[in-house]
Amino acid sequence: MLEVKNACVSYGKSRVVNGISLKIEKPQTYLVLGRNGVGKTTFMKSIIGLLPMDSGSISIDNVDVTKCKAYERSQKGIAYVPQGREIIPMLTVRENLQLGCVAHKKVDFESKMEEVLTYLPDLTIHLKRKGGVLSGGQQQQLAIARALMSDPQFLILDEPTEGIQPNIVMGIADILKRYQKAKGIPLIIVEQNLHFARRIGDYFMIIQKGQCVKEGTIDELTDEVSAKYISV
């Protein structure tokens, strides 16, 4: 179980996240939705330890990790696929995958890579190519594969469909659902693509001005709710 209580996060004197809570248990998929600039990515970065919380707490399986550094949270099972993918373009696909488990001494690289590539087989023929020459969809698959190399207990993805062709988007949804079913891990996904959200999600939260303004089961994410809180 991953639980965040009353998270408040600021950039300088500007409060960006104001009292958001989230609780997710295996193997659920939780969507974090909202327009651009409302605090979604800031909230995710506070969960993984890249940004400090002004107040609030985060726990993994009832163990407080609020003061843990980002690499310590990673070792405790949180993996992150950042917005914009952020692969290392001058490294090969294989080398990018190695980065995913470098801080996880218990992970055997070769066997884990073989396992991960069963879910993302399109990367297999590109292992010796530099990440920067891959297509956008392939780079997104590589970013996901890199996160999976840590054998995570919780997987957070920030805008995984951004800039991706619709047919590839649905393929990514299927990959994530297959992996989740096999491993029983929770997913937290920041997203604006509602078709993707409804296909993959169990629960959702909508953020406005740094606060949660609506949450519920995915069946409650109606067109009316979307029009009120998400659509421009």
Side-chain angles (χ1 to χ4, degrees):
M1 178 180 71
L2 178 66
E3 185 172 15
V4 183
K5 293 182 180 179
N6 299 315
C8 293
V9 187
S10 299
Y11 283 111
K13 295 182 179 180
S14 299
R15 177 63 56 83
V16 179
V17 172
N18 192 12
I20 300 178
S21 297
L22 180 153
K23 183 177 180 180
I24 184 168
E25 302 183 51
K26 301 177 180 179
Q28 300 167 342
T29 299
Y30 202 112
L31 278 297
V32 179
L33 309 171
R35 299 185 178 101
N36 288 330
V38 298
K40 305 186 301 295
T41 294
T42 299
F43 182 42
M44 294 303 105
K45 287 184 175 181
S46 72
I47 293 176
I48 66 173
L50 290 181
L51 290 173
M53 291 181 181
D54 300 331
S55 59
S57 65
I58 174 171
S59 62
I60 297 175
D61 296 333
N62 296 313
V63 177
D64 191 289
V65 298
T66 309
K67 295 183 179 180
C68 291
K69 298 182 184 300
Y71 77 89
E72 293 172 322
R73 298 187 197 191
S74 175
Q75 291 172 339
K76 292 179 184 297
I78 299 178
Y80 181 56
V81 180
Q83 184 179 19
R85 302 179 279 274
E86 295 186 14
I87 63 166
I88 310 301
M90 296 308 296
L91 296 183
T92 66
V93 169
R94 180 185 176 88
E95 289 166 341
N96 271 279
L97 294 177
Q98 286 177 311
L99 289 178
C101 61
V102 69
H104 299 265
K105 296 180 180 179
K106 294 183 179 180
V107 175
D108 179 80
F109 171 70
E110 294 294 341
S111 60
K112 190 62 184 177
M113 182 176 69
E114 182 177 351
E115 177 193 338
V116 168
L117 290 178
T118 63
Y119 296 93
L120 297 136
D122 291 349
L123 294 176
T124 304
I125 61 173
H126 300 297
L127 287 175
K128 295 182 179 180
R129 299 185 71 194
K130 293 190 185 307
V133 303
L134 301 180
S135 68
Q138 290 167 339
Q139 288 185 9
Q140 185 62 67
Q141 290 188 47
L142 176 55
I144 293 170
R146 179 182 58 188
L148 297 183
M149 288 297 297
S150 67
D151 198 22
Q153 296 181 49
F154 307 92
L155 179 62
I156 299 174
L157 303 101
D158 194 348
E159 302 271 13
T161 69
E162 184 179 43
I164 306 298
Q165 294 178 356
N167 62 318
I168 298 176
V169 165
M170 292 303 104
I172 288 173
D174 292 340
I175 289 165
L176 292 173
K177 289 170 69 174
R178 284 177 53 222
Y179 192 86
Q180 182 182 52
K181 183 177 180 180
K183 297 293 185 176
I185 67 171
L187 306 177
I188 300 174
I189 304 177
V190 173
E191 192 50 77
Q192 294 192 59
N193 184 324
L194 292 180
H195 182 52
F196 176 84
R198 289 174 176 137
R199 178 165 180 151
I200 198 172
D202 297 305
Y203 299 92
F204 75 94
M205 165 197 298
I206 298 175
I207 297 177
Q208 276 191 350
K209 297 180 179 179
Q211 296 181 308
C212 174
V213 294
K214 182 74 174 178
E215 57 186 329
T217 66
I218 203 67
D219 291 336
E220 298 174 271
L221 184 59
T222 62
D223 290 339
E224 290 76 14
V225 169
S226 170
K228 182 176 181 179
Y229 295 110
I230 303 173
S231 300
V232 177

